Amino acid sequence: MQFILLSVLIILVLCLPLIWHKVEENLEPFLFICGVLAVFISSSWSKDLVKEAFTEPFHICLAVFIVGLAFKKFHFFIRNVVHVSVTKIGLRWTMFLIVLILGFTSSIITAIVAALILSEVAAELSLKRSERIKLVIYTCFAISIGSVLTPIGEPLGAIIISKLANSPHKADTVFMIKLLWPYVTSAILFLSFLAYRIVDHESNTAFEKQEAFHSIKDILLRTAKIYIFVSGLILLGDGLKPLAYKTIFHLPPQALYWVNLLSAVLDNATMAAIEVVPEMSRETLIYLTVSLILGGAMMIPGNIPNIIVSSKLGIKSRQWAKVAIPLGLVLMLVYFLILLFTV
C-alpha cells in the first residue's frame, strides 16, 4: 500500500502543476504539502528531518536575499554591461556567451549565484516572452550540467565525491572533471548554440524596463517562496526514499539512467544520496550522473537554479515544461546512445 500511495503522489507532483492552474499558481505550498504527505505515508518523521527541513533552506534563501539586494544596488551597472555586450557583439552572441560562461563557471561561483546572475541578465535583454523563457531554460540546463564538476558547485557533486572518497574510486576534487568533462563540455557548447539560434535577427537594444523588479517587498516574497519550496523538496525527497529503494537497486546502468527521470521532480542530490555506493562501477556512475544532471533541469522542482529563476521571472510550470521536457528527453536520448558506444 505504501508503494502504491507514494507512486500516486509522485504522479500528482509531476502532473498537477501542468494541468491545474491553481496548483501552478501556488506551486510552493503545493510541493510543501506533498512533502508532508510523503513523510506521513512513509512514516519517516524524525527530529533530524524536521530540523533539516527547517534549517537547510536558510543558506540558499540568505544567498538569494543578499544577492537580490546587491543587484538592487548595482542594477544599472549590470544593465550597462549587457548593453555594451549587445552593442559590441550582438544579441545572438551575447546569449551564446550567457549560456557558455554561466555553464562553465557555475562549478566555481556555485549554481545559486549563477542562477541569480542569469535572472538579472535575462530580464535586461530585449526579448519576447517565449524567447526569454528559452534562454533561461537553456542556461539552467547548462548550469545544472556544469555545476556538478566541483564539490562547491552544487550538492550533487559534493555528495558523490564524499561517498566515493575511499577505495576503489578515491575521489578527489577533480574526480568529477576527469569523469564527465567530455559530456559536460559537449552539452554546454550545444546549449550555447541553441541560445544563439533563439532569435533570427540582431538588435542593438538591450533594455527591458524593470522598474519595480528590485523592490524590497519582491525580494522578501521571492525569498519566502524559495524557502517553502526547498523545505518541501527536502520532505518530499526523504518521504519518497522507500519508493526509490524499491525501484533503483540491482538495476543495470542503462535502466537506472531512465529511472533517474524522477530527478525532474526530486532534487538530484537526494537521488544521488540514495543511489551512489562505493562499490559502484565507473560505468554505472557515469550513466547515473549524466542522467541526474539532465533530468534535474526538465521541471522546475528538479534543481535550485530552476526554482530561483522561475520564481524571479514569473515562469510557470507549463511554460517551463513546454520547452524543457522535449529538450531534456532529446538530450537524454542522445547521451544514452553516446554512453552505449563509449562507456
Side-chain angles (χ1 to χ4, degrees), residues 183-301:
Y183 315 109
V184 168
T185 302
S186 59
I188 293 177
L189 287 172
F190 174 69
L191 290 162
S192 302
F193 172 74
L194 289 182
Y196 177 85
R197 292 179 58 83
I198 289 174
V199 296
D200 56 6
H201 62 279
E202 280 297 355
S203 171
N204 291 325
T205 303
F207 297 141
E208 282 290 307
K209 291 189 177 180
Q210 301 286 344
E211 302 303 333
F213 196 76
H214 295 283
S215 72
I216 297 294
K217 180 181 177 181
D218 286 344
I219 294 172
L220 287 172
L221 181 60
R222 188 163 55 243
T223 303
K225 285 184 175 181
I226 291 171
Y227 180 92
I228 295 170
F229 211 133
V230 175
S231 183
L233 277 179
I234 291 169
L235 295 174
L236 188 65
D238 197 274
L240 291 175
K241 279 183 180 180
L243 178 63
Y245 281 127
K246 287 187 178 182
T247 56
I248 64 174
F249 282 125
H250 310 299
L251 288 175
Q254 293 80 7
L256 183 63
Y257 184 91
W258 293 107
V259 167
N260 279 336
L261 278 170
L262 286 172
S263 63
V265 294
L266 284 176
D267 179 58
N268 52 21
T270 299
M271 297 290 289
I274 297 169
E275 296 175 358
V276 175
V277 292
E279 298 79 16
M280 182 172 283
S281 68
R282 183 179 181 276
E283 175 192 15
T284 302
L285 185 61
I286 292 174
Y287 272 98
L288 179 150
T289 310
V290 170
S291 61
L292 287 178
I293 59 180
L294 293 176
M298 289 173 63
M299 292 184 69
I300 290 175

Side-chain angles (χ1 to χ4, degrees), residues 95-155:
M95 293 195 292
F96 177 93
L97 289 178
I98 288 170
V99 179
L100 188 76
I101 293 172
L102 291 180
F104 280 120
T105 62
S106 58
S107 63
I108 301 170
I109 65 175
T110 77
I112 293 173
V113 173
L116 290 165
I117 294 172
L118 169 62
S119 301
E120 184 71 18
V121 173
E124 296 298 337
L125 290 171
S126 181
L127 297 169
K128 297 176 183 176
R129 173 76 172 170
S130 60
E131 294 170 343
R132 183 174 288 106
I133 290 173
K134 286 181 180 179
L135 174 63
V136 162
I137 289 172
Y138 297 162
T139 313
C140 280
F141 266 94
I143 291 170
S144 175
I145 293 164
S147 60
V148 75
L149 292 179
T150 71
I152 64 173
E154 66 164 327

